[in-house]
Amino acid sequence: MVAGDTSTYKVNFKLAPLGLRILTGPDGNHVVSEITDEKGQAASNDVRTHDVGGLVDTDAVDSMSHDELIQHLFSKTVDFSMTFRRATESRENLVVTFDKGAMGLMTEGKNGEIRVRNLIIGGQAHSKGVAIGDIVSGVGGKALYELLQEPDNTEELTNLLKERMKQDNPIVLNFNGLGK
């Protein structure tokens, strides 16, 4: 952690794979969307999904595009540090009701789950607090594994949601757990 600010912390990375995936949100923040190796550098240093990248060594990344950040990371020829801001709000058990029409989110299915990969600025998902990296865990309080044959199949989820929209009811999606 950086002295005096408990919401930021610094990680020293070696050049080997970092063990994380970073996506850039509509607000320009570079957000950790996935820890790709549970024994890798990121996990070993308690980097968590939804944390936001701030500095690479002394270079601010908030003005960089996603491609510029990735290029900057790949250009490193020596070990480097990266400063992150800890996500402070709880992202667990979010329940979001969508009105009829476009939800404004793109998803990606992998490893038995469906994650939000991108958001449309001003779209329903963005306006209702959904974040890049959130996991779609259910529809209407029912777990995806109960509703889909393959819980990471985005096409199957899309078809399910289209059928529900035809019923002219709002769509309720659960993110990051179903709650109790």
Side-chain angles (χ1 to χ4, degrees):
M1 297 281 180
V2 175
D5 185 353
T6 58
S7 66
T8 63
Y9 62 98
K10 187 181 207 177
V11 175
N12 294 314
F13 286 108
K14 301 210 177 294
L15 292 179
L18 306 181
L20 57 79
R21 181 183 214 181
I22 295 176
L23 297 175
T24 303
D27 55 5
N29 283 329
H30 302 291
V31 179
V32 177
S33 64
E34 181 180 5
I35 302 300
T36 58
D37 181 354
E38 292 303 319
K39 294 182 181 176
Q41 294 184 79
S44 298
N45 285 284
D46 198 30
V47 176
R48 301 177 190 167
T49 58
H50 305 294
D51 288 354
V52 179
L55 295 172
V56 174
D57 290 327
T58 58
D59 302 321
V61 300
D62 54 352
S63 61
M64 294 181 188
S65 71
H66 181 76
D67 290 341
E68 290 169 333
L69 173 61
I70 300 305
Q71 182 178 8
H72 188 65
L73 291 172
F74 276 106
S75 72
K76 294 293 181 186
T77 57
V78 295
D79 297 349
F80 64 95
S81 66
M82 191 162 182
T83 302
F84 295 91
R85 184 176 74 245
R86 180 75 73 208
T88 55
E89 65 182 49
S90 172
R91 306 283 321 151
E92 293 181 16
N93 304 317
L94 297 178
V95 179
V96 179
T97 302
F98 291 91
D99 300 319
K100 202 168 190 175
M103 293 181 180
L105 58 87
M106 291 175 251
T107 57
E108 174 182 60
K110 187 168 108 177
N111 299 326
E113 62 188 20
I114 296 176
R115 287 186 178 267
V116 176
R117 174 141 172 70
N118 209 343
L119 296 166
I120 295 174
I121 297 173
Q124 287 193 74
H126 178 250
S127 300
K128 295 177 185 220
V130 176
I132 291 174
D134 281 346
I135 299 169
V136 181
S137 50
V139 177
K142 196 165 191 180
L144 285 190
Y145 67 84
E146 295 177 42
L147 298 168
L148 307 177
Q149 290 182 340
E150 298 175 44
D152 58 0
N153 186 321
T154 57
E155 185 176 339
E156 196 177 350
L157 175 61
T158 299
N159 291 336
L160 172 69
L161 296 176
K162 283 180 182 177
E163 285 301 313
R164 299 252 173 133
M165 283 182 191
K166 287 179 185 176
Q167 299 168 5
D168 209 26
N169 292 324
I171 301 292
V172 177
L173 288 183
N174 303 89
F175 294 93
N176 310 319
L178 296 175
K180 297 180 179 183

